[in-house]
Amino acid sequence: MIEAHGLTKRYGPKTAVDDITFTVRPGIVTGFLGPNGAGKSTTMRMIMGLDRPTAGSVTVNGRPYSQLRSPLSEVGALLEARAVHPGRSAYQHLQVQAATHGIPSQRVDEVIELTGLESVAKKRVGGFSLGMGQRLGIAAALLGDPGTLILDEPVNGLDPEGVLWVRNLARYLASEGRTVFLSSHLMSEVALTADHVIVIGKGKILADASVKEFTENASRRTVRVRTPGAAALRTAVEAAGGTVVVPDDGVTDQLEVTGLEAPAVGELALTAGVALHELTPVKSTLEQAYMELTADSVEYRTEDPSHAGHKAPATTTTGEQR
């Protein structure tokens, strides 16, 4: 279990993490989400004792990382996959870690096989692709067979087979009662992997909930409607305070209604004497809920491609927080 209480980190005048409190529980996969510069990596570094908090505390199984008796057997972390001497082979890198922590050499062979590195285990890491480097980083995290895994962007650079492997691995480890805490920018993958999400923006916790609760609580609820009386229903919906969007696919009998629940739309249709061919509540995806929640927390904004013909105004960024 990972527990943070009032965790704060400042770099001069810049507050990277701002008084956050959360718990990452064993037995489930917890996704850690947030825009670039939100404070995710800084938080993970403080968990691992690589950055000292300005205020507050964070513990793993009740102790700060620096006080763990056998760190690799309690916490495995992938924070920077490329933090490996390029002249060493994957096998040598893992053997050195094993030797310094009293881990049997047999375990090195096990994690090499588990992560699919057999064919490149004796090759120099400096020639590895991004994906193979990620696999080596995960192998190092698993080396001590830890009860807690902290993985920062573990699927970065992996092919579809590798992404599926990481997903299954994370869920399997959680099913064994381990604590699995991972960050990712791939919302679709987090939706398939995580049971719980913690969302951070500008150093503050924006959400801490199960994936189901998080998506269901998204304020943008949409109802898809098909009706031959689209114009009449649109008038009734807008008069009741709802918002109507007509899809750009040329279908004239379809509307998307926000601001009203499906039963209310159905009652409006009945009152207006409009026949309904479809009335379907559309649940928000994790990506939609995340984008809505973090809209005001994004430091790096890009231009909507639909406005490609217009020059975007210049923006000022503050530099990415780690």
Side-chain angles (χ1 to χ4, degrees):
M1 181 179 291
I2 303 170
E3 297 176 284
H5 299 280
L7 194 62
T8 300
K9 180 62 179 180
R10 299 187 186 92
Y11 297 99
K14 184 71 173 180
T15 300
V17 175
D18 191 1
D19 191 27
I20 64 174
T21 297
F22 64 86
T23 299
V24 183
R25 294 175 173 81
I28 62 174
V29 178
T30 300
F32 194 32
L33 310 177
N36 287 339
K40 300 188 304 298
S41 294
T42 298
T43 300
M44 289 182 158
R45 288 178 60 83
M46 285 192 285
I47 295 172
M48 295 299 298
L50 297 173
D51 281 348
R52 181 177 297 178
T54 304
S57 64
V58 59
T59 59
V60 180
N61 300 327
R63 294 184 179 185
Y65 182 85
S66 61
Q67 295 180 16
L68 298 178
R69 294 181 179 179
S70 180
L72 276 189
S73 64
E74 294 195 53
V75 185
L78 169 67
L79 299 185
E80 177 49 70
R82 289 294 188 178
V84 180
H85 192 294
R88 287 179 178 168
S89 68
Y91 185 81
Q92 289 171 334
H93 173 68
L94 294 172
Q95 279 285 9
V96 168
Q97 287 191 309
T100 56
H101 289 79
I103 298 172
S105 295
Q106 179 184 353
R107 180 60 181 169
V108 173
D109 296 327
E110 290 174 355
V111 296
I112 284 176
E113 181 179 0
L114 177 63
T115 54
L117 290 171
E118 301 100 318
S119 64
V120 296
K122 300 299 177 68
K123 295 183 179 180
R124 291 184 178 182
V125 175
F128 275 19
S129 66
L130 178 59
M132 297 311 291
Q134 288 291 103
R135 288 177 179 267
L136 177 57
I138 294 172
L142 295 172
L143 188 60
D145 198 20
T148 299
L149 273 297
I150 299 173
L151 308 174
D152 191 5
E153 299 288 348
V155 300
N156 188 27
L158 294 180
D159 59 17
E161 184 277 332
V163 171
L164 177 61
W165 169 73
V166 170
R167 182 197 312 161
N168 291 337
L169 176 67
R171 298 197 64 82
Y172 173 74
L173 293 172
S175 73
E176 292 188 320
R178 306 186 200 225
T179 300
V180 181
F181 190 43
L182 60 86
S183 75
S184 179
H185 285 104
L186 299 179
M187 295 298 111
S188 59
E189 190 55 35
V190 174
L192 292 171
T193 306
D195 306 288
H196 194 94
V197 291
I198 296 172
V199 184
I200 187 172
K202 294 185 178 179
K204 292 183 176 292
I205 297 294
L206 302 180
D208 187 343
S210 69
V211 172
K212 180 180 179 181
E213 180 184 358
F214 180 61
T215 54
E216 287 182 350
N217 287 343
S219 62
R220 186 180 182 273
R221 297 178 182 274
T222 302
V223 180
R224 184 170 57 244
V225 184
R226 284 186 180 274
T227 172
L233 182 59
R234 178 173 188 170
T235 299
V237 166
E238 291 177 342
T243 301
V244 177
V245 175
V246 179
D248 294 328
D249 55 8
V251 179
T252 59
D253 66 343
Q254 181 173 314
L255 303 174
E256 291 183 358
V257 178
T258 58
L260 296 174
E261 300 290 345
V265 176
E267 291 174 4
L268 289 172
L270 178 62
T271 301
V274 172
L276 293 180
H277 295 172
E278 180 182 0
L279 183 65
T280 307
V282 181
K283 294 182 179 179
S284 294
T285 65
L286 178 64
E287 181 177 50
Q288 290 168 336
Y290 166 81
M291 294 296 288
E292 181 179 316
L293 181 65
T294 61
D296 295 330
S297 300
V298 177
E299 287 193 276
Y300 310 97
R301 298 187 182 277
T302 53
E303 184 182 0
D304 187 332
S306 66
H307 300 155
H310 303 281
K311 185 176 181 180
T315 58
T316 302
T317 59
T318 57
E320 182 172 357
Q321 299 166 13
R322 289 179 295 167

